[in-house]
Amino acid sequence: MFYPRRATGLCHGQSMVSLTRLFCLHCQGLILLATLLGPLYGPVEAAGEDTHAGITSADRDWWSFQPILRTKPPWDEVVAGVPWHPIDAFLHQRLAVAGLSPSPLASRRELVRRVYADLIGLPPSPEIIDAFVADESPDAFEKLVDRLLASPYYGERWGRHWLDLVRFGQTNGYERDAEKPNAWRYRDYVVRSFNEDKTYDRFVVEQLAGDELDDATNDSIIATGFYRVGSWDDEPDDKQVAYYDELDDIVRVTANTFLGLTIGCARCHEHKFDPIPQEDYYRLLAFFRNVAPYGRDISSSHYGLNPDAVLTPLVTPTGEAKWAVDKARIRQEVSAAKDKLAVIYAAAVARQDENPQIARLDTLRSAFAVPPTERSTEQNELVVQATANSIPRDQLVMWLDASDPDGDSDPSNNPTPDTAITQWSDAHWKDKTNSGNDAVLGARLSESGAPSLEDSLADLSNSQPALWFDGFATGLDTPLRANPVQGDIPAPQFTVVAVVRAVADDTYRSIWTFDGATGGHNRGLGVQEGQFKVQAGGPTISAPAPAQDWCIISVTFDYPNGVTLAVNDNKSISSVGEIPTVHDNAMTLGYFPVHFTAEGAQHLEGQLAEVLVYRRTLEDKEQARLRGFLAAKYGLLASVYAKQGKEALNEEEKKDVKQLEDSLKQLDGKLANTSMGKALSVRESGNEVQPTYLLVRGDAHSPAQEVQPTFLSALGGQIPEIRKHPVSDNLSKYGVQSTSGRRHALADWMVDPKNPLTARVMANRLWHYHFGKGIVPTPSDFGQTGTAPTHPELLDYLAAELIRGGWQTKRLHRLIMTSWAYRQSSRAADDHAMEIDPDNRFLWRQNLHRLSGEAIRDAVLAVSGRLNSTMEGRGVFPTLSQEVLATQSISGNGWEKSSLAEQCRRSIYVFVKRTLRVPILEAFDVPTPDAPEPARPQTTISPQALILLNGSFMNQQAGDFASRLQSDFPGDSRAQVRRAYRLAFGREPDDEEMKTALNYLAWQGQQWTGQRQAKNEPTQEADASVYALKSFCRMLFNLNEFVYVD
Amino acid sequence: MFSRQSPAHSESCQTCTGSRREFLWEMGAGFAGLALTGMLDEDGFFASQAHAAVTRQADRYVDPLAPRAAHFAGKAKRCIFLFFYGGPSAVDTWDYKPELQKRDGQTIDIEIRRNTFQQKQILGSQRKFCRYGKSGLWCSDAFPHISQVMDELCVIKSLYADTFAHGSGMIQMNTGRITQGYPSLGSWLGYGLGNVNNNLPGYVVMLDPRGGPISGSTNWSSGFMPAAYQGTHLRNKGEPILDLIPKEDMTHEMQRHEFDTLAHLNAKHLADRPGYSELPARISSYELAYQLQSTAPEAMDLSTEDQKTLEMYGLFDPKPDHKLSVGSEPFGRQCLIGRRLLERGVRFVQIYSGGGHQQESWDAHAGMEENLAIHAPEVDRPIHALITDLKRRGMLEDTLVICGGEFGRQPVSQLSAGRDHNPKGFLYWMAGGGVKPGFSYGETDPLGHAAEENPRHIRDLHATILQLMGLDHEQLTYFYGGLDHKLTTVKPAQVIDEVVA
């Protein structure tokens, strides 16, 4: 049977399994209802005897599980004056029964604004409106639709709908809410896919298994970011539970998004309403069993992002990772340019005989440059003396020296950093403190919990090449902690000086973190996009990190006076009093993770030659001496003293330097170019897939029987054919492993034309967004808790058309939008219809549409003339008020500053941070990224009015709108008002509106002047009119006509 | 004729095949629904279900914050939640543990993080405990003022929660779940009961001057419910509510003129668009916004409070020397504002004591005594004042006061005499609003590590809070993603009947 099964049948005559579903609390109401209403609607089908995993034939009779029928439009249903259109035929059938008829077409002006809002989420310009109104060709409307479907704005509008479904966010949420590397690539992929009219089946397959396709592309791998853009707790209470929570998120969002099924309930027990036994949930989960978890253990309680699980290099067709190739090439150029610069500076520095400091250091450098055994006595003496004089020994808690594997007092083994690093081994890591503390080093094993020191050292050669110094775990926190003394608490102070060479990358890589006692890991020193960054509770301080250059960095933490970061001899200081959240006595040097060779490691991907850690702040003089010593030791005088070298340059050298610096700047820009890099993606955990067990009551610690990946029982329950997917040579070169092929099998099943749900669900989604309500009003729930289709035959017709048209969504847009139903007026006043069908279920008129939060913001930008239509990239950070930032435990943490122009990009490019949401978007129902949102609610609350009237963004834009009007029609209020109406509403004001507007401008202007005069402030008429016009523009943005589209 | 018959059939089917929610909504809102509604509503079923339909897929605009009848007559009409963020210690405050004192310094094996056991030294409390009032409830000398109102308190000593971490712990205490994305307690109350006074937000959150709690606004998020139900962050200084005050330098008249012109033009727009109730709703939302500009500052204006009251709330107490201390003024002011908001019909006020990290909050890793020295004096007088003030105004009996954090702390020492997180046994107290005054319920083990006598999950605490507010936690459901969600989650929860008066 095709028609939906009766709701009253639900609780009657079920099989044993189904009966158990009745005994749940949620059902009580339903049983009651059934008892009350059952008799009204006659007998119910008897239970089917043939059960498959507890699924009866009655269960399988549910309407959405039936094959999609090739329904024929009921062409008999003709309404006079309405051209034949298959969609209208279906709708008219229902309208006629209800005694209703469709409304007349909307006016051309209304239509163009509607189509713009709907397809691209922006208002049409007055010129476009005029042109459309004047276009008398019979296919004017079709041309308009086609033009907009071809616009890149289309993908930005419809891609955003998709992002709602897949809980897209760019951070993890929870305490640290760290950024997900390159999450934006997934967003851009979605936008691109809509713009390319990627067929929906391909779109589905790419997201589920883009890495397992024979024709995998960079885009198809980026598509699997689908798995990674949800929230993720890096400090879960129970790691085993967290593992299944992560899979649960994937299972739910997959079933919701592609199948319109709410499967999550079956995690703990049989689904209470739909025929989804618990076993089905775990069978579906089995398809994802080999998905590598997002994090890897970094301590007994914490996870860190696992790059080998979530990042895949983007590889070019010739097999090279584009980022690697590009970066290598650019870095070569950089290094060539820098070599040249170094030569010039070195020459200049060397000429500075009159600079005794440099001269002395240069002599020292020469001494270091000679192998120790060949040094003269003087040279030896010089090295020993300099070492003794330059390195303060008091309060030195840790000293690591790559050049000195034996750890004896002579640090002079021909230490050029490059050669030293290549020989680096565990033997180099020694505790060389002279403070007697038990500062120790260990290797963090990737799998285990907190390893003991002995284990770590023993396994060092076999483990990941990431060395891990965990001061907190090893007790170093004690020496570095300032202990409270009765009544007075000494401020925590320390200094870290290091010789490092960091890989500048777009991923944040921490060099060390401090305050690790309760996981304040977001404080410390790191490197990202060519910048060293110190986060110490206040604003981030940063300094350029010369790419691939050895440099000397020194950080002093001197609470409450401030934090200093010096890269070479350039010092930046965070201002005093801006470290509000650091509490003095608890300051610990918690983690000191130094990962220096792990490919793709989250931490410093670079090299480290020497580190000194002091439990006090070194004075400037001491720092300078130490820096000089290290610069001489490692031959870094030219770069460290570039500033001084600069002063000694002659004219010709200056010219060369300028040229080299310019080209370096360009190269830096290229390196920072975000198109290089890796995809946030799915990866699998090796070749052997672990068995999947049904978990009793969903308890991660109670496995029961083993299950195999199997499709849903209600849809046949077939066991798929699964082929392992070999990884391409291109990717295996970068450590990517082959995959189980399970996800590919699932994806193929999803888009099998015989799957009754996938096409129906997508066709309904398109309808939902076009009309404001789906044929099935619950677009992600086609089960029994959802709402049945108002027009089931139409839904099947559209679903069949989607498949027949090769899954092209643009084709379906065209089909829907060319219907009379879509084009009819939303303003029809039909008392009869309003009484019979006040909710407009049968579509006797089009619905009025409120702009989404994004569309309101975007429309404001378009109307003010400020819209920046740059596409793609990491995203932008609109300025948030201090009050909003103050809701964070570390104010401003993770929220950057974007230029004004960047802030004027479309809302889809606003960075999505889970714990800090942009008020204007949040207030207008942009959903939380933590939960999929198939149908946004539309609420109306007074904070929306406050934001639109008093918010900084709105006032800024109102000002820009006013300036635009002022410069187009200087001094002509009438013309300004007319233009304003045309820009904001796509129409001319009528006489009454013009009068109101002019009165408004005059009155507000007068009042403003009066107010200024009362304050004895000088005013000019022009100022008053600027004020009034801005006020008027702000008011227009607030009108219902601005946020509602007919 | 086929086309005439067939749809007629499906028409009749339509009614019975619509989801039960939609169906009920139709019935309830439509013509024939009254009798049925009455029958169903006896168990509150209709109220919750129709309600979900209204807010999520309203065809006709319904104010999500319109006042709604409780499931039954609740003892409390409003609620104020004093959240000690960071996780306060029970054994140093209201839970006297003689055994802990006796065994101070002994080494024991104890669960420090989930399934992670460590050898640790027992840390006895440095505080002196006494029994107070007729009830004889224990209170430590950390709270000399609160100790004077112990007869009003109902102390629950045997709560436990699911996580050792702040991030998920904060979220669980506020939303019932350890995962992000669910509505917070205040959202549930707003959803269940609506707003009494539309001129003020129904759900207000005030933060510590040292910073927000971990995960920030996630803690007062409405999750998958509409944003209308999220908490409003109210500030002590500057603009009390985000964008409340015009950025432009404008007079009252100028602003009124702007509102009037808006209303006038909107009315004209409305006249051409019949049958869209969201349009008038939006027009009135501007009036409410306008009202809010005067009502919010009025509610926060303490100039009409007498000097004695201000003193009682600790507004003039000197700030202690400790660098991290902010004194009792901010929390006292917030408690007083909280009382004023409650008087004006605000349903749910949540005030955070502690912000930022570690010793800035109740997160006493780095020293229990120091932590208490910073935070206890900040809240002692304000809380005493709040309870006294509510009582003398006759408000305490229908105002529920709740106090506690995201978890408690360990009976063993960490770092220099600090205490680590402990979700296995911790303490909340409530006052007023239908709880038994001067009552103690449940116990942890003799050291104060895990709930032992009458252990209750915080789901039970949530169920109890809803119960006191007139809502049945089983019936207060919100349909999302195929499930009727509850604050108390899908796991069994029970009202702690023993603490209900």
Side-chain angles (χ1 to χ4, degrees), chain A residues 85-88 91 118 141 145 158 762-771 775 794 797-799 801 809-824 843 846:
Chain A
H85 187 289
I87 287 176
D88 295 316
L91 293 173
D118 186 9
F141 183 77
V145 168
W158 284 75
M762 185 55 179
N764 185 62
R765 291 200 197 284
L766 295 179
W767 187 273
H768 165 84
Y769 294 121
H770 279 305
F771 285 96
I775 297 171
L794 172 58
Y797 177 81
L798 294 171
E801 276 300 301
T809 36
K810 286 189 181 177
R811 184 171 169 275
L812 214 60
H813 283 302
R814 261 182 228 112
L815 179 66
I816 292 171
M817 296 176 77
T818 49
S819 69
W820 185 276
Y822 181 83
R823 292 180 295 143
Q824 67 186 328
L843 287 173
Q846 176 55 289

Side-chain angles (χ1 to χ4, degrees), chain A residues 25-26, chain B residues 188 473-474 476-477 484-490:
Chain A
L25 297 164
H26 304 285
Chain B
W188 282 103
H473 74 97
E474 295 282 0
L476 183 66
T477 61
D484 284 321
H485 286 271
K486 298 181 291 187
L487 171 63
T488 49
T489 78
V490 294

